[in-house]
Amino acid sequence: MTQTIKIKYFTDEIERLCYIGGKSDWIDLRAAKEVVIKAGEFQLIPLGIALELPSGYEAHVVPRSSTFKNYGIIQTNSMGIIDETYCGDNDQWFFPAYALRDTVIRVNDRICQFRIMEHQPVLAFEEVTELVHEDRGGHGSTGKQ
Ligand SMILES: O=c1ccn([C@H]2C[C@H](O)[C@@H](COP(=O)(O)OP(=O)(O)OP(=O)(O)O)O2)c(=O)[nH]1
């Protein structure tokens, strides 16, 4: 099934969104301006797009696997959550970047990827004194090998 969504581009210098190589249904996103970051510094990198997400959906943005190797940056929020309400004319998506080495990200470089996800159901919380299940154990409880 194909779902059509409205997209605004903030620049003509980036290529339009597309699937790359047909290997994944995540869609790559590109830097919309050249960004120079020194080691230990933080910058928001504009991604040059704003979207009107389908009703009931949000988007998740994560780095590409190769982003750290290529640019020495990590995404400070680990995963960006784009709310359905982030759909105003100036609600440009951005990538919050922390550089571990001096680096330059050039216009049109593919630095991250996104997919849309359905919202979770509304959750209500019922307080209890005991959860009547066996403890699973955590933090390596299943061993190393
Ligand atoms: O990596 C990100 C994270 C967020 N956003 C945009 C979309 C999102 O809907 C909005 C607000 O993000 P979030 O709610 O995670 O940030 P906050 O720090 O809690 O700000 P707010 O007070 O606006 O909710 O910023 C991005 O473009 N990239």
Side-chain angles (χ1 to χ4, degrees), residues 63-73 95 110-112:
R64 295 178 66 206
S65 306
S66 53
T67 293
F68 182 73
K69 174 171 63 82
N70 290 337
Y71 305 104
I73 54 172
F95 179 95
R110 280 185 285 127
I111 56 173
C112 55

Side-chain angles (χ1 to χ4, degrees), residues 98-139:
Y98 179 79
L100 285 99
R101 60 172 168 81
D102 293 0
T103 188
V104 181
I105 296 97
R106 298 202 161 72
V107 178
N108 206 40
D109 282 349
R110 280 185 285 127
I111 56 173
C112 55
Q113 55 190 329
F114 85 99
R115 69 177 302 138
I116 65 171
M117 305 283 293
E118 260 183 292
H119 296 321
Q120 65 180 346
V122 176
L123 303 176
F125 298 97
E126 176 196 356
E127 184 170 339
V128 296
T129 54
E130 192 183 359
L131 296 174
V132 285
H133 304 283
E134 194 178 329
D135 292 342
R136 180 206 181 278
H139 290 265

Side-chain angles (χ1 to χ4, degrees), residues 14-16 27-28 31 35-36 40 44-46 60 62 66 81-84 107 113 126 135 138 141:
I14 58 169
E15 282 167 55
R16 281 19 197 166
I27 299 167
D28 285 348
V35 176
V36 178
L44 292 177
I45 303 175
H60 295 172
V62 297
S66 53
I81 298 159
I82 312 291
D83 302 296
E84 189 183 332
V107 178
Q113 55 190 329
E126 176 196 356
D135 292 342
S141 59

Side-chain angles (χ1 to χ4, degrees), residues 77 80-83 86 93-94 96:
N77 53 1
I81 298 159
I82 312 291
D83 302 296
Y86 194 74
W93 293 21
F94 59 83

Side-chain angles (χ1 to χ4, degrees), residues 84-96:
E84 189 183 332
T85 50
Y86 194 74
C87 59
D89 193 47
N90 296 300
D91 284 341
Q92 180 171 189
W93 293 21
F94 59 83
F95 179 95

